[in-house]
Amino acid sequence: MTLLDCSHQTIEILSNTSANQETAQALSLALHDSSQKEVCLELWKSLESQFDEVPLMCSHTWTSTWIEFYGDLIPYSFVVASQADKPCGICLVTEGIDQFDGPLAIKTLHLGTAGEPAADSVCVEYNALLVPAELQSDFMQGLMELFEQNRSWDAIHFDGFASADLEGWDLPCSEEGLRKIESRYFDLKLIREEEREVISGFGYSTRKNLRKNMKSYGDLNSQWAETIEEAEDIFADLVSLHQTRWQKEGQPGSYASQRFTDFHKALLQKLVPTGQMGLFRVKLGEDVIGCVQVLIDRNRVLCYQGGSAEYKGKLSPGVIADYFCIEECFRRGFDAYDFLAGNSHHKQKMSTHHSYLTWAQIKRPRWKFTALNTLRKIKQTMNLVQKSNEDAD
């Protein structure tokens, strides 16, 4: 059962972007179901030509490939924005599968390529809207009104948006519904402008560790895939290393999902030739030390996935793979090497700065949410009491 009935659902709001309200144009939003996929994706491709820069995660290539591999699993619709009967923006809306809030199964709506079961998720980050920046706040207002026409959903999720973008939309999110996470990155542009070596951007202990590792390893060689064939070869090594590591830790690994793996194999075919995906490998002789898969988004390198050999003694293959990849990205003129959401020790020591990504949630007033929040508060209180008693002892 679909959460969104697309029949005759439209919203029209007055744009607030014009200083002269007499010349302000109404922004109209229309909802189209997946039966209109071909028409909507063709429109998507056409709209891209109107933008100076298109965020990768809302590009036609990314979105259409996601639909190809997830569209049979995840119900989806399109929201098209128009001014003066001329389309000016578009957004994918999906209906979550196997989504939970604690122990509660919930019905969710998601913006962009999200809503998959955790085991199959592409974990979209730097999510975005293919809507002109000056219209995004109006678009979001209309989208909320459009969703309010249907009462079936429990929560709307905004997955992995740049915090600065999301904060500008004035969403009706509670503090509990916001999760803001650091996205650490190495500022390649700054190092280039200051005419410094890449290694100088790291802290003292990281520099020392890198030099010691490179001396211990000896004659390392690296490769950035220039062809689809080279990319496929590196991707195969990455998958093997990634799966070996996680399975030894008792975890399935990302590529245990055939759907996820096939999605990236298809993306590789499309994005490597356009320079929007990079596959990178470091070897010692014939032994693979580590591999990195990166996505290129507006001259920013997103470190999406990686795989490395086993740690031996004080040798750090993952650190070496990332360092060599950062060096290569510096040579290729990229602005930043972004490790994406999370604040692990590895990301801290390999980065120079951080931005923020936000996961937001708007919940309907439901008795089950009220009950769950009450139970959570009771648990928090009990934990505080227990800690207080332990401290007193």
Side-chain angles (χ1 to χ4, degrees), residues 312-352:
K312 295 181 178 179
K314 295 185 178 180
L315 296 179
S316 305
V319 170
I320 286 294
D322 273 327
Y323 171 65
F324 273 65
C325 194
I326 290 170
E327 283 272 16
E328 182 64 26
C329 291
F330 178 80
R331 285 192 288 270
R332 289 174 178 265
F334 296 119
D335 291 338
Y337 188 90
D338 198 315
F339 287 94
L340 301 178
N343 201 16
S344 67
H345 179 63
H346 174 80
K347 293 182 179 183
Q348 288 181 27
K349 70 182 180 181
M350 297 300 290
S351 61
T352 59

Side-chain angles (χ1 to χ4, degrees), residues 13 27 29 91 111 129 131 135-147 156 158 161 166 168-172 362:
I13 61 173
L27 185 68
L29 270 60
C91 172
L111 268 63
L129 303 175
V131 176
L135 295 178
Q136 290 190 4
S137 182
D138 294 330
F139 178 88
M140 201 57 62
Q141 177 189 335
L143 194 63
M144 293 300 102
E145 294 178 17
L146 196 63
F147 289 161
I156 302 171
F158 302 81
F161 283 88
L166 197 136
W169 299 338
D170 196 24
L171 297 172
I362 299 173

Side-chain angles (χ1 to χ4, degrees), residues 55-332:
L56 179 62
M57 300 302 171
C58 69
S59 67
H60 173 270
T61 298
W62 179 276
T63 306
S64 61
T65 306
W66 185 91
I67 289 173
E68 179 184 351
F69 288 92
Y70 288 90
D72 65 319
L73 175 66
I74 311 295
Y76 63 92
S77 305
F78 301 89
V79 178
V80 177
S82 301
Q83 278 189 322
D85 296 325
K86 182 179 179 182
C88 59
I90 193 167
C91 172
L92 187 73
V93 178
T94 69
E95 303 177 21
I97 298 294
D98 294 342
Q99 301 295 311
F100 293 87
D101 186 345
L104 298 178
I106 60 174
K107 298 176 181 178
T108 59
L109 297 177
H110 302 254
L111 268 63
T113 54
E116 316 96 323
D120 297 303
S121 179
V122 302
C123 300
V124 63
E125 299 185 32
Y126 288 100
N127 203 351
L129 303 175
L130 193 66
V131 176
E134 67 274 13
L135 295 178
Q136 290 190 4
S137 182
D138 294 330
F139 178 88
M140 201 57 62
Q141 177 189 335
L143 194 63
M144 293 300 102
E145 294 178 17
L146 196 63
F147 289 161
E148 280 300 322
Q149 294 183 3
N150 188 288
R151 310 296 295 180
S152 299
W153 54 270
D154 295 317
I156 302 171
H157 287 208
F158 302 81
D159 302 276
F161 283 88
S163 298
D165 290 346
L166 197 136
E167 288 164 4
W169 299 338
D170 196 24
L171 297 172
C173 296
S174 65
E175 187 175 338
E176 295 78 16
L178 290 172
R179 189 162 56 99
K180 192 173 180 178
I181 302 177
E182 285 187 3
S183 181
R184 303 200 65 90
Y185 65 92
F186 190 98
D187 195 330
L188 299 170
K189 184 178 180 181
L190 179 64
I191 296 294
R192 191 177 296 112
E193 289 174 347
E194 294 180 349
E195 299 182 350
R196 295 160 53 196
E197 293 183 341
V198 169
I199 199 167
S200 70
F202 300 108
Y204 171 77
S205 61
T206 302
R207 295 197 305 270
K208 182 178 178 181
N209 182 49
L210 281 168
R211 290 187 174 110
K212 185 181 294 185
N213 266 264
M214 287 187 289
K215 183 177 180 180
S216 298
Y217 272 116
D219 190 17
L220 294 166
N221 62 85
S222 62
Q223 177 188 14
W224 180 284
E226 303 292 353
T227 66
I228 289 176
E229 291 73 20
E230 290 174 352
E232 288 175 332
D233 187 51
I234 295 174
F235 184 75
D237 280 342
L238 185 153
V239 171
S240 176
L241 290 169
H242 177 95
Q243 290 301 105
T244 298
R245 175 197 168 188
W246 286 106
Q247 287 171 2
K248 282 189 176 181
E249 296 188 15
Q251 302 294 325
S254 296
Y255 300 100
S257 166
Q258 192 61 50
R259 192 183 295 268
F260 176 88
T261 305
D262 291 343
F263 169 69
H264 281 283
K265 285 181 177 179
L267 270 182
L268 182 156
Q269 302 289 324
K270 300 172 183 179
L271 296 183
V272 168
T274 62
Q276 293 172 286
M277 180 187 288
L279 272 301
F280 183 78
R281 177 169 58 197
V282 179
K283 298 176 75 174
L284 177 63
E286 294 302 312
D287 296 329
V288 180
I289 300 301
C291 302
V292 185
Q293 177 191 3
V294 300
L295 302 171
I296 315 300
D297 184 4
R298 293 162 288 177
N299 211 45
R300 190 180 190 88
V301 178
L302 309 183
C303 184
Y304 185 82
Q305 197 59 269
S308 58
E310 285 189 77
Y311 282 73
K312 295 181 178 179
K314 295 185 178 180
L315 296 179
S316 305
V319 170
I320 286 294
D322 273 327
Y323 171 65
F324 273 65
C325 194
I326 290 170
E327 283 272 16
E328 182 64 26
C329 291
F330 178 80
R331 285 192 288 270
R332 289 174 178 265

